[in-house]
Structure formats: C-alpha cells, structure tokens
Amino acid sequence: MSARAPLVIVGASYAGTQLAATARELGFDAPIILLGEEGHAPYQRPPLSKGLLTGQTSVDALALRGPGFFADQAIDLQLGRRAKALDAAARTLTLDDGSTLGYGWLALATGARCRALPVPGTDLDGVYNLRTLDDALRISDALAQATRACVIGGGFIGLEVASALAARGASVTVVESQPRLLARSFPPLMSDYLAGAHRQRGVEVVLGRGVRALSGDAGRVRHVELDDGSRIACDMVVLGIGVQPNIELALEAGIACDNGILTDALGRTSAPQVIAVGDVANTLLPAVPGCPLRLRLESIQAANDGARAAASALAGTPQPFEGVPWFWSDQHKLKLQMAGLPMPGDQAVVRGEMQSDRFSLFYLRGGVMVAAHSVNRPAEHMLSRKLIAAGARIDPQQLQDESVDLKSTRSSP
C-alpha cells in the first residue's frame, strides 16, 4: 500500500462499501478507512422490508461481502464510529470520541434517516421505524405478540412492510395522506392498480387521511387517530413517511447542499477532495431521455452506480455516472420493476391485462419511450431499460399488441 493520505469513507452501507471495493478493483492504492456507525458489518437493506420480516431471509444471508473481504482488500472497516465534524480546509474529520482522521480523499456516504411523524404518541411502545437491521429485528420480534398493525405511509417501504406483516398473519391497515398511493412515483392508473392489489390480499388501504395522534394505555400504542376523528385499533404501528438525507456534516462544513449533497456525475462536491455517494447525493445525471438534469435517487442501483463512478475518479480513470434509473419492489407475490421517470402528460400504454398481475405499462413522451413499469414481467423490464436508453420511438399499437415481439419494434429517435 502507498504511504499517501487515506481515503476515508463515512458510511458503510451499499454506496460506501461499493466505493471501497471498486476503488481497489481500479487500482487505487492509498489506504482506505471505512467507517460504519452501526455495530453490524455492511449488509443488504432491501430484505429488511421483505424477506427478513417474512422469515424467508436469515440475518446471516444479509452480508454484503464475505468475512475475509475487507482484510483481503486492505480496507480498514471500523464499526460503531460516528463522524461529528468535518474541516474541509484542513482535510480532517473529527469522530464522536474526539479523535481525528486526516484524509487525502473523503467520501460522504451518510445515507438518510426516517422522517419523524410530528404528532403526539410516537414515543409509545409498539411504534417503529424501519431503516436499519436492528429496526427490522425489533419489528419481527414484535410480530410474535401483535395481531393488528397500522402502517402510516403508502410509499414503497410502507407497502412492502404491509405486505410482509400480512404474510405473517397480522391484520394490516395502511394510512396514506395523499389521495392515492405512490403519487410521486406512479400515475393514477398504477396507483389504483396497487391499491386494489393490496385490498384483494386483505390489507385495508385508507387514502386521503392524515394522522392526528397515536394513543394508547399503559404506555403502549392502541389506536391511530385520524384527522377526521376516526380511530384505527392496533397494537403495532410502523412509520413509513419517507426519509431525509443526512447532510448535516457537509452543510456545517460549507459544502453545497440542496435536497442532498450536490455532486457532479463523478460524485465530486463543491469541496476539494470530497465526494458524496448513495442516498445522500443529489447527482448530476447523464443525458438520459426523459430524465431531469439532477436527482437524488434512493435506490441500490443508484448507490452502486454512483459509487463506481466516484471510484473511477479516485483511480484517475473517470467514467461518469450513466444509465437509466431503475428500481424494484416486492409486495405480496408481485414483483414491481420500474425504469425511467414518468411525468404527468406522458402517454401510458398497457401491455397485458392488469387484473392478471402480469403486465407492463410503458410511457411515451412525444412518441419516445421514457419510462416503464412492469409487474411480474422481468424480461420486458430489462428490454425497456435498453429502449429508454436508446430513446426508442415505438408505435403505441405495437407496444400494446402482445403478439408483436418488442425487440423488433425498436427504431431510432
């Protein structure tokens, strides 16, 4: 290893771990220190709201890397370490025990935290957030006694948790303040489909209702009180109203932030030798058809791709962040796969029967495919990512006609 100042990575989840691994893969030879605030070695997060809650995935199966990986790659993994302050001019990082680390490069992979629900009663026993492995284990343990669960928030995490809790035998109610599910991500057609799919599987979905308070007795939650005066009986509440990026370290150091830490396509921030990756990064995107100029993407794909791009800059072989944004969600027996970013006004074309729980919904903007949502059709999802990246112009009737091979419909913009 080189005697150069180290790369210090704050955050040991997907982005931080991928950054360290790819930097080594590309020949970066300075020391690497990977700081994790939790006591667990880096682990997969998607199963926390899926397989771990249903019992289909064990804790042992969550490890991101094998036990010998970090030592083999000369990556100094330090767990239970929290960064407290950053001096970008001096290139030093202060930790919560008062010690300091100098760095040659600093990577902020600080992620995001659950938004707090600003109502009385969230401190009652039986009220949970889901962001970490410990959170998921607490929820799983609570299911041994709980029979009626209320999930507050109808986003991806809330709906995945509702699905998992229902699979474990709980009676589940989802409360969403917006008039439809996933209003920021889905058009009304997909929102309505998903609400119907959950209801058909026994989950009660309450839309357009805010939460006024959580109430209970003997210190334990018993009811969710809505803004119309109605109450939902429960012995367990899971909060899923979104996350906010952990930008405090960067903000206090004078690094430019706006809904995350602002970065270019290589993860570089406004501070010299400081990069940001993962959920905390608001990244300049490549010229992908239908996508905005920059975006903070909360997905494993974005964390991994962004980390790879940043690692290429560290190694002196810069390869900017590229590719169509994509995401997936498992709910009940439905595998939802999303590519691109649909916008109001896009033409929606359905391929397959939505009631069959096996279809794709394609979005055209000016005749060009810009996004696709697939349910239990993984091959069409993979093809759609290529078509979106190519800016393919496709006849809507051909998209809709299942007798037409989609591979044969591709044309130039």
Side-chain angles (χ1 to χ4, degrees):
M1 278 304 126
S2 163
R4 289 187 292 153
L7 161 64
V8 176
I9 304 172
V10 183
S13 188
Y14 276 92
T17 303
Q18 185 68 63
L19 176 63
T22 306
R24 284 286 185 254
E25 180 184 318
L26 296 178
F28 183 79
D29 64 356
I32 297 178
I33 301 172
L34 179 59
L35 304 175
E37 189 168 335
E38 297 180 55
H40 304 287
Y43 57 86
Q44 302 176 59
R45 290 187 184 271
L48 300 186
S49 57
K50 304 177 180 74
L52 191 69
L53 289 187
T54 62
Q56 295 176 327
T57 303
S58 68
V59 173
D60 292 341
L62 296 180
L64 272 180
R65 300 284 175 167
F69 171 80
F70 297 99
D72 291 345
Q73 296 297 315
I75 297 169
D76 182 7
L77 174 62
Q78 300 184 20
L79 302 176
R81 305 276 273 170
R82 183 171 64 85
K84 184 178 179 182
L86 164 62
D87 187 332
R91 295 189 188 176
T92 59
L93 186 71
T94 302
L95 304 183
D96 56 352
D97 63 358
S99 62
T100 61
L101 289 172
Y103 64 83
W105 279 93
L106 177 71
L108 299 175
T110 48
R113 61 186 181 276
C114 296
R115 290 188 181 278
L117 181 66
V119 303
T122 56
D123 57 346
L124 290 167
D125 289 340
V127 180
Y128 304 94
N129 287 298
L130 178 55
R131 186 68 183 173
T132 68
L133 174 56
D134 288 338
D135 291 337
L137 292 174
R138 281 190 286 268
I139 293 171
S140 185
D141 289 345
L143 276 168
Q145 287 79 38
T147 59
R148 294 178 298 182
C150 183
V151 177
I152 300 175
F156 288 111
I157 292 296
L159 294 175
E160 289 176 0
V161 169
S163 170
L165 298 185
R168 289 277 299 270
S171 173
V172 183
T173 299
V174 174
V175 177
E176 169 55 51
S177 61
Q178 296 298 312
R180 58 187 181 86
L181 298 176
L182 292 164
R184 289 190 306 163
S185 304
F186 283 173
L189 188 62
M190 276 296 290
S191 295
D192 292 346
Y193 161 76
L194 202 54
H198 277 268
R199 287 169 174 146
Q200 288 169 12
R201 291 160 176 81
V203 175
E204 183 178 356
V205 179
V206 178
L207 300 173
R209 292 268 67 92
V211 174
R212 188 165 60 191
L214 309 183
S215 59
D217 57 64
R220 184 164 192 85
V221 69
R222 296 298 178 192
H223 291 94
V224 173
E225 301 180 9
L226 303 184
D227 56 8
D228 63 354
S230 62
R231 300 202 305 173
I232 298 170
C234 58
D235 48 19
M236 176 182 189
V237 171
V238 180
L239 306 177
I241 59 172
V243 299
Q244 58 189 86
N246 295 320
I247 63 172
E248 289 75 13
L249 199 64
L251 201 59
E252 292 169 7
I255 296 174
C257 297
D258 182 8
N259 183 31
I261 302 172
L262 297 179
T263 78
D264 65 9
L266 290 166
R268 296 175 296 199
T269 73
S270 62
Q273 310 300 110
V274 178
I275 59 179
V277 292
D279 287 1
V280 76
N282 189 337
T283 304
L284 186 68
L285 296 176
V288 175
C291 289
L293 181 62
R294 61 166 56 252
L295 198 64
R296 189 174 67 82
L297 290 166
E298 299 167 10
S299 73
I300 302 307
Q301 167 259 340
N304 283 338
D305 288 352
R308 288 183 179 278
S312 73
L314 298 180
T317 55
Q319 182 62 49
F321 179 96
E322 292 182 350
V324 175
W326 61 271
F327 183 69
W328 86 95
S329 177
D330 293 332
Q331 300 173 33
H332 303 288
K333 297 296 183 182
L334 309 174
K335 178 169 285 294
L336 285 75
Q337 294 175 288
M338 294 138 275
L341 301 167
M343 299 287 288
D346 290 346
Q347 180 183 3
V349 181
V350 181
R351 184 180 179 88
E353 298 294 331
M354 296 184 74
Q355 61 267 28
S356 73
D357 295 332
R358 189 174 179 276
F359 67 92
S360 291
L361 188 57
F362 299 102
Y363 303 89
L364 305 179
R365 192 175 306 159
V368 174
M369 186 183 292
V370 294
H373 291 157
S374 298
V375 176
N376 293 333
R377 285 198 171 183
E380 288 185 356
H381 165 74
M382 294 300 295
L383 179 57
S384 72
R385 283 159 54 180
K386 296 178 181 179
L387 294 173
I388 294 166
R393 186 178 297 275
I394 302 178
D395 185 330
Q397 292 184 341
Q398 290 185 318
L399 273 180
Q400 195 172 35
D401 187 349
E402 293 192 88
S403 69
V404 176
D405 183 355
L406 286 184
K407 295 178 182 179
S408 69
T409 64
R410 176 172 168 175
S411 63
S412 301

